[in-house]
Amino acid sequence: MKIAILGAGAMGSLFGGLLAEQNQDVTLLDINEAHLSAIRTQGLILETHGRRRSLTNLRVSRPDKTESIPELLMVFTKSFHTRAALSDVSRVMGPDTTVLTLQNGLGNVELLREFVSLEQIVVGMTTWPADMSRPGAVSSHGAGKIRLMSADGIARPGVEAIAALLNAAGLQCSVDPNVWSAIWEKVAFNAALNSLCAVTGCSVDGIAAVPGGLILARAIVGEVLAVAQAKGIDTDRASCMENVTQAIAKHVGHQPSMLQDVLAGRRTEIEGINGAVVRAAREENLQVTHTETLLELVRLVQARVSGFAG
Ligand code: NAD
């Protein structure tokens, strides 16, 4: 399958690298010149399961320079860059191009719908972690899974083929009609822990420093799941509460991506997480007081560190 990865940062390079290792035809599309040029000269340095190697069989390009039509376009930009990135590649996308999003947050399918029809979109959720240590080098420590389905809910052989491709690359993918539950459950987790850490500067375990930290995190999870329920999406409340409690107990020293973004003076994905939950809650006439407070606090922190005021 001819695969293009749009947004080849930590996640895009990890997925692209693992697929290229299976001799898939992979092109990484990104605007980060330092990253592209490092891959051109030394290959993509990929480290997974403690094994480091250099992959030289990937093509790299700026999105506006690519010429070939991909069969699968995997979108791995931060959600606030999706529209600009898609605008640069829409001219090479055909009616047979499938677009896959495994990005965090809500609203990703709606953004892709501005460029392709719903039946071309595959949506999912992944628990794989990835980091970019320097331009040209990405790593993943730990293991993860992927759950995905057609955005219109219709089972198609093409979706099974994508899952098979990802499985062959060791990415543990299943086609699952309950993907929206998984997406909302991850949004609940991120809305609580990412925002609390971004605002306080605490690592995840630091939230346990005062009793109110865990109470607040669980209250946010409860609010998000109530919105999901109002939207007709069933979630596993007990396991979500357990996951957030366990993360606070065990993720010692872990800085969620939103805290890393704040520390680096970058824009965060708060609008696609807490922001999207607040918008969805309003549509359902629900109050999500804690989620909304954290949204405004992260906006303030973000405005201070990055100058981005929404
Ligand atoms: P990242 O910042 O490492 O990578 C994003 C890439 O997009 C960057 O390389 C950037 O240069 C590129 N980009 C920005 N604008 C672009 C444009 N116009 N055209 C092409 N490329 C452009 O982010 P990431 O950590 O890989 O996360 C990507 C998505 O995956 C996010 O939605 C994130 O929430 C989600 N996610 C991340 C992880 C993780 O562990 N990193 C895990 C699960 C999900």
Side-chain angles (χ1 to χ4, degrees):
M1 198 180 283
K2 202 166 184 176
I3 303 167
I5 312 266
L6 185 61
M11 291 295 280
S13 295
L14 170 69
F15 276 53
L18 290 172
L19 288 163
E21 215 167 19
Q22 296 304 308
N23 291 317
Q24 298 292 345
D25 178 347
V26 178
T27 304
L28 302 180
L29 303 173
D30 207 290
I31 55 170
N32 179 344
E33 283 297 346
H35 187 51
L36 299 182
S37 128
I39 297 172
R40 278 192 195 102
T41 52
Q42 60 175 28
L44 173 70
I45 311 292
L46 179 65
E47 188 181 333
T48 57
H49 306 294
R51 195 165 66 85
R52 204 160 186 267
R53 62 274 195 199
S54 166
L55 304 172
T56 52
N57 62 336
L58 298 121
R59 269 186 291 275
V60 296
S61 171
R62 286 184 63 91
D64 57 350
K65 297 280 188 294
T66 186
E67 293 302 340
S68 69
I69 299 177
E71 292 166 89
L72 174 63
L73 181 82
M74 211 177 277
V75 182
F76 260 133
T77 55
K78 293 279 176 73
S79 51
F80 48 81
H81 286 139
T82 301
R83 187 176 285 124
L86 258 298
S87 301
D88 276 345
V89 295
S90 58
R91 86 206 129 70
V92 294
M93 282 159 58
D96 297 328
T97 303
T98 298
V99 184
L100 168 63
T101 171
L102 300 173
Q103 294 155 292
N104 279 337
L106 300 170
N108 297 308
V109 170
E110 288 79 357
L111 274 168
L112 298 183
R113 278 285 291 115
E114 295 176 17
F115 298 89
V116 289
S117 63
L118 193 61
E119 55 266 31
Q120 285 177 268
I121 302 173
V122 176
V123 60
M125 189 282 291
T126 179
T127 54
W128 281 98
D131 290 296
M132 189 190 294
S133 45
R134 59 185 157 83
V138 293
S139 60
S140 183
H141 301 288
K145 290 199 167 124
I146 303 167
R147 293 160 69 179
L148 51 73
M149 64 180 252
S150 328
D152 62 5
I154 297 171
R156 288 197 180 79
V159 179
E160 295 287 348
I162 292 167
L165 194 82
L166 294 167
N167 272 322
L171 284 159
Q172 306 212 56
C173 179
S174 54
V175 178
D176 181 347
N178 294 321
V179 155
W180 285 108
S181 304
I183 289 173
W184 275 86
E185 287 171 358
K186 191 169 188 196
V187 166
F189 184 92
N190 286 339
L193 299 189
N194 278 21
S195 64
L196 278 171
C197 293
V199 163
T200 59
C202 290
S203 54
V204 172
D205 60 308
I207 293 173
V210 297
L214 178 58
I215 292 169
L216 191 48
R218 290 171 65 103
I220 294 170
V221 170
E223 287 180 354
V224 177
L225 299 185
V227 179
Q229 194 176 19
K231 291 278 179 197
I233 292 152
D234 287 333
T235 53
D236 185 340
R237 186 185 162 88
S239 95
C240 286
M241 290 298 177
E242 182 60 14
N243 283 347
V244 96
T245 306
Q246 286 299 320
I248 290 172
K250 293 188 178 154
H251 292 184
V252 178
H254 175 63
Q255 296 184 327
S257 58
M258 201 176 283
L259 172 55
Q260 292 179 31
D261 288 338
V262 163
L263 293 174
R266 291 188 297 252
R267 188 176 168 185
T268 72
E269 287 190 301
I270 192 69
E271 299 301 333
I273 303 175
N274 298 52
V277 171
V278 168
R279 286 190 294 281
R282 284 199 187 121
E283 288 162 9
E284 303 300 326
N285 289 319
L286 286 176
Q287 296 280 329
V288 285
T289 317
H290 300 95
T291 308
E292 189 159 6
T293 303
L294 265 299
L295 167 65
E296 294 302 345
L297 291 174
V298 174
R299 281 176 174 164
L300 279 171
V301 173
Q302 182 174 258
R304 176 176 61 79
V305 300
S306 75
F308 184 82

